[in-house]
Each structure stands twice: as structure tokens, then as C-alpha cells.
């Protein structure tokens, strides 16, 4: 039945070919060829049918023999197909594994490159941070050094100012001592002059007393002998001359001669006002003020204000370091003018 189908198929193909040839070529030229082709096709189909019958018979005979072989072949073919499929699968899996490995290697390479780039960037950032830190440390050191130098300069200026202040105080003390010495000499000279004046006054008083005694005696004698006033005066003058009494000074009156001469009273304590100009050296270049104290031979006066008496303190307590950085000039601290009350000039 299968051979018949193939023969029929061949016949149909020839018929189609003939039909195509008949439709495509002129009818007069292709009639013989179509007939011959049909005959040949029929002959071939008959021959094929015969052969098919023979083959069917042979096949029927060999069918039983080749069934087992067919199964074996089919099994071998299936095994081969399976082996080929497995080999193909393995090949595919191997290729996929290779691709995955290549992808992993590429990813690892990309990650490594990224890590290296990141490490380079981090190293650059660290280098910049370290450089900035070094610059900051250098700047801090420079600022610290400048601050130290400024502090040393301020300390040196303060020491110089203290030394200058101490020197000025010493000069003031020496000047005050010299003034006190001169004042003492003047006082002694005044005392000597006062003593000389008192001695002269005593002598004049004694002469006045003697003269008064002579006058009294003359008056007594005048009453006794009743002399005239002119004679009485002459007698008094004569008695005074006889007794060695000096004649009275015409500049002195009798009433004034009888009274003792009293020296003028001078107050030994005074109030002193000190006015100073601002300095321009040391710390006074920036602080236009002063700390005035008044030093004499016994010590230094520290003002307690215009309404209270100044206090006399020892040199060490007034001009020492503790007071220099402490109370300083009392009520006149940081002032250019100062009042010192109840100062003993003697």
C-alpha cells in the first residue's frame, strides 16, 4: 500500500508536470511528449508496483527477522541520541560554566579595578588629609610660637616697667629724702634763728625791765626831792648811765617793750595735691594712667581720698611686688591726680 502510494505520487507528479508542460507550451508541440510521459509513468508505476509486491513479500519474510534488530537499532539509536543529547547538554553546561566563569572573572577584574581605584582615591584623600593636618600643625605651632613671643614681650615689658617704676620710686625716695634733709636743715636754721631771736628778745626784755626799774627809782627820788620833770628825766638817764644800762631803742615803745615777743604759729601738717602727666613708655603706652604715692624719709604716704588722712606705710609694703600687682596706690589707683591729706612736713 505504501509502494502504491509512492507510485501514485510519482504518477501524479508526472501528471502535474505534463499538465504544467501542456499549459505552459503550445498544445501542438507538447501533445506527443505528454503522451510519452504518461506511458512511461504508467510503465514505471507498474514496475514499481511489481517491485513493491516483491519487496513486500521479502519484507514480510524479513520482518520477523529484522524486528529484533530494529529494536536493537532503535535502542542503539536512542542511546546514541541520548548520549549525543547528554554530550550536547554537557557541552552546553560546560559552555555556560565557562561563560559564567568568564563573567565571574570579568566581574572580579572589574571589582579589583574598582577596589584599586578606590584604594588610590582613599590614598589620595588620606594624603590630602595628612597634608592638611601637617599644615594645621605647622599653623598651630606658628600661632603658639607667636603667642609665646608676645607673652614673653609682654612679660619683658612688664618687668621693664616694674624696673622703671622701682627706679622712679627709688629716685622719688632719694629725692624725698633729699628734700626731707633740706627741710630738716631749713627747720634747724629756723630753730636757730628763732632761738637767736628769742635770745635777743630776752635781752631786750631785760633791758626794758632795768629801764622800768630805773624809771621807778627815779620817780621815787623825784617824789623825795620834788624835782621838776626835766630834772627827773635827766636824773633817770643819769642813773641808768651810772648803772650801765643801755639806752632804749627809739623804735621800741615802752608798752611794747614790756610785752614778750611770741613766734608765729605754723601748722606742721598740710594737704598736698599731686598732678601727673601720662607716661609713654612700657605699659603706660597703652594705659594712660598712673599710681601716685608720696614717699618721704620714713616711708610712703598712700592716699585714702580727699576726705581722709593719708596713711604712712613702709617702703617695702608700698613699692614691693605684692602691692604693685595688688592694691597699688589705694584711692589714687589708675589716676593722674591725687590728694594726700594730713602730711607731716616736719
Amino acid at each position: 500500500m505504501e509502494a502504491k502510494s509512492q507510485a501514485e505520487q510519482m504518477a501524479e507528479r508526472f501528471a502535474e508536470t505534463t499538465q504544467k508542460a501542456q499549459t505552459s507550451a503550445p498544445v501542438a508541440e507538447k501533445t506527443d511528449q505528454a503522451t510519452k510521459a504518461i506511458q512511461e509513468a504508467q510503465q514505471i508505476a507498474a514496475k514499481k508496483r511489481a517491485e513493491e509486491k516483491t519487496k513486500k513479500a521479502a519484507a514480510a519474510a524479513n520482518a520477523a527477522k529484522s524486528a529484533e534488530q530494529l529494536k536493537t537499532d532503535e535502542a542503539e539509536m536512542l542511546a546514541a541520541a541520548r548520549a549525543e543529547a547528554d554530550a550536547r547538554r554537557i557541552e552546553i553546561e560546560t559552555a555556560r560554566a565557562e561563560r559564567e566563569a568568564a563573567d565571574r572573572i570579568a566581574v572580579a577584574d572589574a571589582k579589583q579595578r574598582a577596589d584599586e581605584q578606590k584604594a588610590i582615591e582613599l590614598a589620595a584623600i588620606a594624603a590630602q588629609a595628612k597634608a592638611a593636618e601637617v599644615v594645621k600643625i605647622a599653623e598651630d605651632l606658628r600661632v603658639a610660637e607667636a603667642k609665646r613671643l608676645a607673652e614673653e614681650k609682654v612679660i619683658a615689658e612688664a618687668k621693664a616697667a616694674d624696673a622703671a617704676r622701682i627706679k622712679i620710686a627709688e629716685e622719688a625716695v632719694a629725692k624725698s629724702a633729699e628734700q626731707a634733709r633740706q627741710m630738716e636743715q631749713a627747720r634747724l636754721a629756723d630753730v636757730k634763728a628763732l632761738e637767736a631771736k628769742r635770745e635777743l628778745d630776752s635781752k631786750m626784755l631785760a633791758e626794758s625791765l632795768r629801764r622800768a626799774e630805773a624809771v621807778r627809782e627815779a620817780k621815787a627820788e623825784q617824789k623825795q626831792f620834788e624835782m621838776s620833770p626835766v630834772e627827773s628825766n635827766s636824773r633817770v638817764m643819769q642813773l641808768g648811765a651810772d648803772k650801765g644800762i643801755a639806752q632804749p631803742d627809739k623804735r621800741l615803745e615802752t608798752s611794747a617793750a614790756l610785752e614778750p615777743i611770741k613766734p608765729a604759729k605754723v601748722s606742721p601738717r598740710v594737704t598736698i595735691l599731686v598732678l601727673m602727666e601720662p607716661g609713654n613708655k612700657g605699659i603706660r603706652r597703652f594705659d594712660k594712667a598712673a599710681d601716685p604715692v608720696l614717699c618721704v624719709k620714713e616711708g610712703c604716704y598712700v592716699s585714702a581720698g580727699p576726705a581722709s588722712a593719708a596713711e604712712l606705710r613702709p617702703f617695702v609694703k608700698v613699692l614691693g611686688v605684692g602691692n604693685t600687682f595688688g592694691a597699688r596706690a589705694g584711692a589714687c589707683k589708675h589716676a593722674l591726680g591725687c590728694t594726700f591729706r594730713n602730711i607731716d612736713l616736719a
Side-chain angles (χ1 to χ4, degrees), residues 2 7 20 30 57 68 87 110 142 151 168 180-181 195 215 224 230 244 254 265 278 316 321:
E2 184 178 357
K20 289 178 181 180
K30 295 182 178 180
E68 188 67 24
R142 187 188 65 77
E151 290 177 353
I168 293 172
R181 185 182 65 78
E195 289 178 354
V215 171
Q224 184 178 1
V230 176
T254 303
K265 295 182 179 180
V316 177
V321 178

Side-chain angles (χ1 to χ4, degrees), residues 6-56:
Q6 289 179 356
E8 291 177 355
Q9 289 176 2
M10 290 179 65
E12 290 176 357
R13 281 198 297 271
F14 280 115
E16 290 176 358
T17 302
T18 304
Q19 186 177 359
K20 289 178 181 180
Q22 290 176 356
T23 55
S24 61
V27 178
E29 294 179 357
K30 295 182 178 180
T31 303
D32 295 336
Q33 294 178 358
T35 303
K36 291 179 180 180
I38 292 171
Q39 291 176 357
E40 290 176 357
Q42 291 176 354
Q43 292 176 0
I44 291 170
K47 187 177 181 180
K48 288 288 183 183
R49 283 194 296 268
E51 290 177 356
E52 287 295 331
K53 289 180 181 179
T54 304
K55 287 180 180 181
K56 285 180 180 181

Side-chain angles (χ1 to χ4, degrees), residues 175-185 296-298:
K175 187 176 180 180
S176 299
E178 181 65 20
Q179 291 178 355
R181 185 182 65 78
Q182 294 176 0
M183 292 174 64
E184 182 66 18
Q185 291 179 355
V296 296
K297 186 177 180 180
E298 292 79 9

Side-chain angles (χ1 to χ4, degrees), residues 64-282:
K65 294 181 180 179
S66 61
E68 188 67 24
Q69 185 67 33
L70 181 60
K71 291 180 180 179
T72 303
D73 293 339
E74 289 178 355
E76 290 178 356
M77 290 176 64
L78 182 60
R82 287 179 179 177
E84 185 177 358
D86 292 338
R88 182 62 178 170
R89 181 176 55 79
I90 293 171
E91 183 179 356
I92 292 172
E93 291 179 354
T94 303
R96 184 174 64 252
E98 290 178 354
R99 286 194 302 271
E100 292 177 355
D103 293 338
R104 286 195 297 271
I105 292 172
V107 171
D109 292 339
K111 185 178 180 181
Q112 184 178 2
R113 286 193 298 271
D115 293 340
E116 291 176 355
Q117 184 65 27
K118 187 175 180 180
I120 293 171
E121 293 176 356
L122 292 176
I125 293 171
Q128 292 177 357
K130 187 174 182 180
E133 184 178 0
V134 170
V135 171
K136 186 177 182 301
I137 292 172
E139 182 66 17
D140 293 341
L141 291 175
R142 187 188 65 77
V143 172
E145 183 66 16
K147 185 177 180 181
R148 184 184 65 80
L149 293 176
E151 290 177 353
E152 290 180 355
K153 184 178 179 181
V154 171
I155 293 172
E157 290 180 353
K159 289 182 178 179
D162 292 339
R165 185 163 54 251
I166 292 172
K167 184 178 179 181
I168 293 172
E170 291 176 352
E171 292 176 354
V173 169
K175 187 176 180 180
S176 299
E178 181 65 20
Q179 291 178 355
R181 185 182 65 78
Q182 294 176 0
M183 292 174 64
E184 182 66 18
Q185 291 179 355
R187 188 183 67 80
L188 293 176
D190 292 340
V191 170
K192 289 181 181 180
L194 183 61
E195 289 178 354
K197 186 177 181 181
R198 285 179 179 177
E199 185 177 357
L200 179 61
D201 292 340
S202 298
K203 290 180 180 181
M204 292 176 66
L205 180 60
E207 291 176 358
S208 298
L209 291 175
R210 284 193 294 269
R211 188 172 59 250
E213 183 66 20
V215 171
R216 187 182 62 79
E217 290 177 358
K219 286 182 178 182
E221 289 180 359
Q222 183 180 2
K223 288 180 181 181
Q224 184 178 1
F225 297 105
E226 295 181 352
M227 295 181 180
S228 63
V230 176
E231 292 177 349
S232 178
N233 290 333
S234 299
R235 181 62 179 169
V236 170
M237 296 293 291
Q238 184 65 33
L239 289 175
D242 293 341
K243 291 183 179 181
I245 300 175
Q247 296 300 317
D249 192 354
K250 294 181 179 181
R251 295 175 298 177
L252 299 176
E253 300 292 337
T254 303
S255 59
L258 295 176
E259 296 179 359
I261 299 176
K262 298 180 180 180
K265 295 182 179 180
V266 180
S267 177
R269 294 188 177 272
V270 297
T271 298
I272 297 177
L273 175 62
V274 177
L275 296 178
M276 305 178 68
E277 293 183 356
N280 56 4
K281 295 181 180 180

Side-chain angles (χ1 to χ4, degrees), residues 299-315:
C300 294
Y301 283 98
V302 178
S303 176
S308 302
E311 182 181 356
L312 181 62
R313 299 178 184 176
F315 294 107

